[in-house]
Amino acid sequence: MINSSATYDMLSDDYDDMVDKTRDYSQVGKVLSDFIGDRRTLLEVGVGTGLVVKALLDINPNYEIWGIDNHQPLLDQAKAKFDAADNVQFHLQDVLNLSLPKTFDVAYSRGGASMFINTPDGCWFASHLSGRENNLKSLKLIAEHLEDGGLFIINADRYRNYDNELKEGVVHHRRIEQQTIDGEDYMVFDLSISHNQKVVNRQVLKLFLLSYQDAKELFMEAGLTPVSIEADGSFHIYTKGAAQ
Ligand SMILES: C[S@@+](CC[C@H](N)C(=O)[O-])C[C@H]1O[C@@H](n2cnc3c(N)ncnc32)[C@H](O)[C@@H]1O
């Protein structure tokens, strides 16, 4: 299986151009900040180039935000977006071994190591981490880094293909398909970049899948209780401990 690191190596130079075309980060920040309310200390899991951190700080400069990612080139781009006045920190860490000397009011993940995906057949939990055990471990670690009653907010992606022109003649293609391989369910992302219609780089990424019900049990086992789902299905909210 191609790991996500190889994919982000391929995409890191164009990451900001690429995502800006497909996603309104200020809207992502607004939806998140509505859930965050007056909580202040935030952890982004899979922070990438820091676009969500920036959107949140544009809304509320008083947030203290730490981000982790297992991909240094993206973290370097994230660091370059902020100055000393911003209360941000970035750490090179895999969520499977998350270890920070702090607990947070809120952890959130937008397109990070795992996410939900809304398909025509329903909502699935999809993860770069293989197998149930690894996912349980990472969710437990996220829960350990939350204050009691803290929130974990995780996004749900859309099940869609696209071709986005990054710059003249350079196009980012995404094809997504659900597949069953050796009895296990996967979401297969076929990601490529073409230049003048010739594919110059291509990675196929298989994300481990769990049904919504199995994922709910996984989150509960990790100590994360479902609270709500954003009205348009784009974010799922969990709390550490029992729901209020
Ligand atoms: C699609 S990007 C999203 C980045 C950012 N959250 C955003 O919305 O622009 C996914 C990020 O998750 C990171 N990631 C994937 N697996 C990870 C893991 N096991 N531990 C930490 N970060 C991971 C990738 O390196 C990448 O930066």
Side-chain angles (χ1 to χ4, degrees), residues 45-66:
V45 180
V47 68
T49 63
L51 290 166
V52 184
V53 175
K54 178 138 194 5
L56 283 168
L57 286 176
D58 284 347
I59 292 168
N60 183 351
N62 292 322
Y63 288 139
E64 176 183 352
I65 311 182
W66 290 29

Side-chain angles (χ1 to χ4, degrees), residues 53 57 63-67 82-90:
V53 175
L57 286 176
Y63 288 139
E64 176 183 352
I65 311 182
W66 290 29
F82 303 96
D83 55 37
D86 294 311
N87 210 347
V88 297
Q89 288 195 26
F90 297 101

Side-chain angles (χ1 to χ4, degrees), residues 32-42 60 62-65 104-107 146-153 227 237-239 244:
L32 283 173
S33 70
D34 284 349
F35 288 119
I36 291 165
D38 57 9
R39 298 173 180 87
R40 205 185 65 79
T41 57
L42 317 179
N60 183 351
N62 292 322
Y63 288 139
E64 176 183 352
I65 311 182
F104 299 84
D105 299 328
V106 177
L146 285 175
E147 297 287 335
D148 286 339
L151 299 182
F152 178 46
I153 308 173
V227 176
I237 296 92
Y238 293 81
T239 187
Q244 298 296 310

Side-chain angles (χ1 to χ4, degrees), residues 8 15 25 44 46-48 69-71 74 93-95 110-111:
Y8 291 110
Y15 187 85
Y25 273 89
E44 179 165 354
V47 68
D69 203 287
N70 62 351
H71 199 68
L74 294 174
Q93 288 201 5
D94 194 303
V95 67
R110 201 233 50 89

Side-chain angles (χ1 to χ4, degrees), residues 70-85:
N70 62 351
H71 199 68
Q72 188 65 50
L74 294 174
L75 285 178
D76 290 342
Q77 291 184 52
K79 283 179 191 158
K81 286 190 173 70
F82 303 96
D83 55 37

